[in-house]
Amino acid sequence: MDKLITHSPILIIAIPLLAAFLTPLISRVNEKARDVLVITTLAFVEFLVIILARDIYANGIHIYTLGASSPTLTIPEQYMVPVRIILEVDAMSIFMGIISATVSLAAAVYSLSFMKEETGRDRFYTLLLLMIVGMFGMEFTGDMFNLFVFLEIASISGAALAAFRTRFTDAVEGGFKYIIISSAGALVVLFSVGIFYAQYNLLNIAALAQVIQYTMLDKIALALLVIAFAMKLGGVPLHMWVPDTYAAAPAGITAMLVVSSQACMYALFRVCFTLYGVTLNMATVGWIVIILGMLSMFVGVTMAIPQIDIKRLMSYHAISQSGYMLLGVGVGLAVLGNPEALATYGREAMSGGIFHIINHALYKGLLFLTAGALFYRTGTRDLNKMGGLGHNMKFTSIFFIIGALSISGIPPFNGFASKIMIYESVYRFNPILAVIAMLVSIITLASFTKAFQSAFTGPQLPQYKDVKEAPRSMLIGMGILASIIIFFSLFPGLIVGWIVYPAADALINQAIYISAVMGG
Amino acid sequence: MILNIIIYIFIAIGCFFNMMAALGLHRFPDVYTRLHAGTKCTTFGSIFLILAVVIQSISAWVAEGLSSPQSILTLHALIALVAILLTNPTSAHAIGRAAHRSGIKPARAVVDDLEKEKP
Amino acid sequence: MMVGIPFNVPFLAVAALIGIAFYIILSQRNLIKLVMGLGIMASGVNLFLVTLGYREGGVAPIYTHAPIERMVLPVPQALTLTSIVIAVATLALMLSMVVHIYRHTGSIDSEESRTMKG
Amino acid sequence: MSKIVRTMSSILSLFIFVYGSYIIMHGHLTPGGGFQGGAVFASGVALLIVAFGSQNLHKSLKEHHLSILESGGALIFIGLAFGGIATVFFYNFLVGSPIFGHIPPPGPNPGDIWTAGVIPFMNLAVGLKVIAGLSAILLVMALATTITEVEE
Amino acid sequence: MRKIAMAASLSVFIAFLIAATLVIHPFGYPPSQMDDYIIENAQSETGANNVVTAVVFDYRGFDTLGEATILFTAVTGVVMLFRRRKKE
Amino acid sequence: MATLEFGLDFWNPIVCITAFLVLIAGTYLLRSRGQKKYKKGTAQTQIFLSGEEPPSVEQRHIKAHNIYWGFFQALKGYYDPTIKAHTGIINDYIIWFTAIATATAAILFIVG
Amino acid sequence: MIEPGVLHIIVPILIVACALLVAILKDLIVAVISLAAMSLLLALEFYLLQAPDVAIAEAGVGAAISAAIYILAIRATKRR
Amino acid sequence: MRTFLITTACAFLLYLLLTTASGPLFLWSKEELIIGAIFALIVAAIVRKIFPVKNLRLLNPKRWFLFLAYFFGIFLPAMAKANVDVAYRVITGRINPGIVRISPNLKTDLGITMLANSITLTPGTLSVEVDEETNDLYVHWINVKKEALEKIPRDCKYVCGKFPDWARRIAE
Amino acid sequence: MWLPVAIFLAVCIAIILVRLFLGPTPPDRLVGLDTLNTLVIVSMVILGASFNEVIYIDVAIVYALLSFVTTLFIAKYIEKGGF
């Protein structure tokens, strides 16, 4: 068991990878065996993540040096900088890891019947596993170049999955837009990595954080990194690819693309807080992040109202919700240099933002899955053509209500818990921002009322007379997420105390992250 | 000393013909004639330049003893030469054929059998 | 001792390549041109990485017949290898998507072939 | 392509394949390695595609063969990485053992192929993977672009 | 409008890049603390004469695994995109 | 356990749910004291549209397109340019990227 | 005395010139040709920068494979 | 099977050529030989169907000597002449081009390939197209002589001298 | 001894690039590319001799073999053949 915990950071990445390489071989033998393999792997990964999380909350940062003679030998003997690739898992990383593992498990279970009609499902599952590998790699690595590599894995597999249903024009178009955007972003990230390498001859994040000086080149690299990650996470005005891609992807994949963009958000926070940290002029960068967040919130939600495609509507809401996270963490970043303000409201704002990440992943995943269920049964995403589906699809409409109430911040759901943390702490920072955030929440409710009204209520339309309830595995997938949402709604104090505060503290305490690698 | 002179002569020949190839691409009027310059002259120039390298490395090989790494240089340079000799005329043929099939007439041609027989 | 290169010309070439790549991506409406722009950008970044590791008068970092003390830095070369393969992988995927877009819409112009907006 | 190109390609493809294997196998001694050699080898396949046509090649080389090869290469690679997990993932556990275990004398030396532990095996695995992957890309794209009407 | 935005942003962007080339270390004289260790110890630690291969497969082997994964992903994606569909 | 305390305030879903239940109970109480005249299936529940024939069941459902029509009319000055900015052309996305990246770099240089 | 740095000036300029050609011309096949030339010169520049490993990779991938993929894609779509 | 063995031998020889001096002095170390043999088998298995060694006549050492004699005695001088000729035309710009058809009456693919490549590299001629059935070559001729234009197919001796005979002797 | 030759070849390459830029038709540019290939291979061999590094010639061989593939692909596209 000790051995398992020691090696678990690499196992979490390597076991899905092994399964992904095995999937094409096994699915030549038996289709059933492949499904079992995929689900088992994901469940095992979930288990590993949980035991690793328990270990981290008990014992602090987990270090794994690849290829050295011992996992904790980060720096070679008689030398001063790390040479090998180091995986560095702290509370924030494992927080993101929990999200990825959970949502991808639900999405995989859901996809079992959602993709039943499609051909080429072995490729689908291979790519799904690879996408999970990419997300875990981004979250666990402690090396800039490795971050780039896993960013590319997540983006390429995500693009291929978004274009999976090639018989639709918009699917291919969405995939193409996603891959262009992400490879441009990734190349910019690589350029920034090159700039760091040119100045300090280092690639490790912790080692770089120790020596970084905020010179002119560092400023350029910071701007490029922040904006590249902001584009990948869909912050306004770099968000335009989001509705195109999310709308076109299969529903289970859309839920995972949400998590993938949150992994990019994690990378953004990692760069701002850990890599630059105290050398940074926090107020400036913090305000840049806050402005991005405010724009995302407002433009996202206002653009969502006129949409008549249900998945486009939800995608714009995804943009709007990521604005909340940027706002919360941006406030924390802006007051990072001011210990008093940080203690009174900065940490709360960051915790609110980080708590919102997991809430958003859960309820937005659930909403996309319900939209997929509607599409599966009716064959359309157009809200104008829907109506009265609540008569036949009772479970789906209940899940939709849970997700919609949660996203609009209606008490007692978990969306409200994180939003109220953000409102109250941001109000101390700047009242106007908090007021806009509340306004956005109201407009969110309005637009989901529209979606619910058009799709589920109203008289039963004749063309949908014999629509059936969604198949069982789709209901199980949605049920997993819905039950977690209800659990989170009922016990928010527990969740925040367990996983959110440690994650926020891990971001704030740069010194611990550095000393875990560099010693001393 | 004599070896050096031979090497210099080879280099001079090689450089001259490569220069001719470069100029010929500009002096000639159409694809086919340019192919003449681009293929023949570069191949010939390359032979001489690579032979110069080979002669020099052989002399170094002899001077340093049999197990000198220069033997690898000699052999690999010769292999590169063979590769050039094999590929260059073939690709010239492919280009010429492609040009003709895409409908480019030879400029100032006095006779064109291919055009007559395969319209 | 050899004299250094004035104005860091290789770095300027990197800047020019990335600039041209962005110009192509921003201005050309042809999707294949767009992909080519990304390819040029990848080449520029590769050149940047390799240029970072060069030492004046260096030799390749291979022990076979070379003196040890003047070796150029090996890590950027390893990074560039990775980056080249990534570039070709994305290239293949992007181009096959372009082929599909053409089959669906009959156009490879980014304005004519779009179906989603607003 | 014409008869001349076909004959020349069949001669050169042998040359390219042998050269690709040489580059893969000597990755730890001379410039090269799995990726480079694999790319050279796959270019040989590209040469066959352009000279003989993908339809002809497809009679003897199917996508699923390549798919199996690629999965196999990837599995060997990750298996070698897992092999070191007794100490650490990616630990070079073959240095000093009888298989590829010679340790070269320090300093410049012409090189001995029987060195470097797992690196030659990794080169082979990556080479296999790159060969299969790039060939599959080229073959599939060539086939798909030749058949104008796709079966729906 | 679009052209003006394009020209302005592009020119400023290139200006930043060129400014960066002026302050970066001079061509041919890089800092080297991490690489010195690798150059000195690669041969004795891994047994490979080619230091680049040693870096690719040993010191940064995980990157190579990621890279192989990317190629695998791309191939899977391409084959998936051009798959034959079921006949209706 | 259920209470979320975050320094400034607290939030407890159990309390909230209890309050909701109390409210619902009160509402039901109020409703039960209402008039009993209302009957289903009589002319009381028929649609009356100034004597016209009411539309068929399918057409009674309000389409998604028509919801919040007045809202868009009121905010026309905001919506027209915003929707126009979402061109759907991939080049424009990268133009935004370049512009924002340069702007950010400029801000970092000027402000510090 | 001619110093070796001259080559480090000539070859990058040629590379940038090839890249410019890609930007200027509308015909895609010409763009592919000039990309191939750029890739070729890039390999020469890597060679000059003492990176033969990278030069082989660029030669294999940049010259043969990626040009082939471009050509196949252009064939399946249209030329300009 | 015979083709397979010959192909393997070719591949193995090529591999050995590439890895000379891996062992003591000129020879090869034994690991190198084993690895080379394995690779030669694999490569031969791939290319055996297309490698142009259908008959054993090419293995005759006499043909190899003929080839060497041809290469150094006929081909290289002709090539030198060709280059001087092209250089002259580059400088003066005097050309008189045309595409002519010749029928060298060669049977095998290898022969026609050799002839075409020789023609491409020698004075004033460049093979443009080959007829798949009759093995007729269409040659772009930079300086068309009047006397060659009398009959179709044109006379080989004006265009390419004695090359067809040599090609026949070596490759057929 | 070898370096001036390499620089001379680089100048030749520049002259050929002009043809690549001007060439009225695609086959003209392809001829330029083909010529360029040969010259780059030769300069690689020359530079290998100039650095006195025996292992560098491998790159030249790879290029000599692979540039052929590119040329064939483009030529086959120009002649509108099926792949």
Side-chain angles (χ1 to χ4, degrees), chain E residues 4-21:
Chain E
I4 296 168
M6 198 186 92
S9 59
L10 198 63
S11 51
V12 180
F13 191 79
I14 294 176
F16 273 123
L17 287 180
I18 291 173
T21 62

Side-chain angles (χ1 to χ4, degrees), chain C residues 14-65:
Chain C
V14 170
L17 277 180
I18 292 178
I20 290 169
F22 265 109
Y23 170 73
I24 292 174
I25 297 172
L26 299 190
S27 68
Q28 304 280 330
R29 284 298 174 78
N30 192 321
L31 293 182
I32 293 184
K33 268 287 175 67
L34 199 72
V35 178
M36 283 176 185
L38 283 171
I40 292 177
M41 198 160 142
S43 307
V45 177
N46 290 341
L47 183 56
F48 180 55
L49 286 174
V50 177
T51 312
L52 286 182
Y54 182 68
R55 268 186 195 151
E56 190 76 59
V59 294
I62 297 171
Y63 273 94
T64 308
H65 302 292

Side-chain angles (χ1 to χ4, degrees), chain D residues 2 4 18-19 31 70 86 117 124 130 135 138 146 150:
Chain D
S2 71
I4 294 165
V18 171
Y19 201 73
E70 192 184 11
L124 270 176
V130 173
S135 317
L138 285 168
T146 307
V150 179

Side-chain angles (χ1 to χ4, degrees), chain B residues 6-28:
Chain B
I6 293 175
I7 290 172
Y8 279 124
I9 290 171
F10 274 29
I11 286 176
I13 294 174
C15 285
F16 173 74
F17 280 109
N18 279 333
M19 196 70 205
M20 279 303 120
L23 289 180
L25 284 188
H26 291 272
R27 294 272 298 165
F28 283 142

Side-chain angles (χ1 to χ4, degrees), chain H residues 6 8 13-14 17 22 34 42 46 64 67 88 101 111 120 132 136 138 140 144 164:
Chain H
I6 296 168
T8 314
L13 281 177
L14 208 51
L17 198 64
S22 65
I34 296 165
I42 294 170
I46 296 171
W64 301 355
F67 177 77
Y88 165 74
R101 176 178 165 192
T120 302
E132 295 286 328
D136 283 1
Y138 294 85
H140 182 264
V144 177

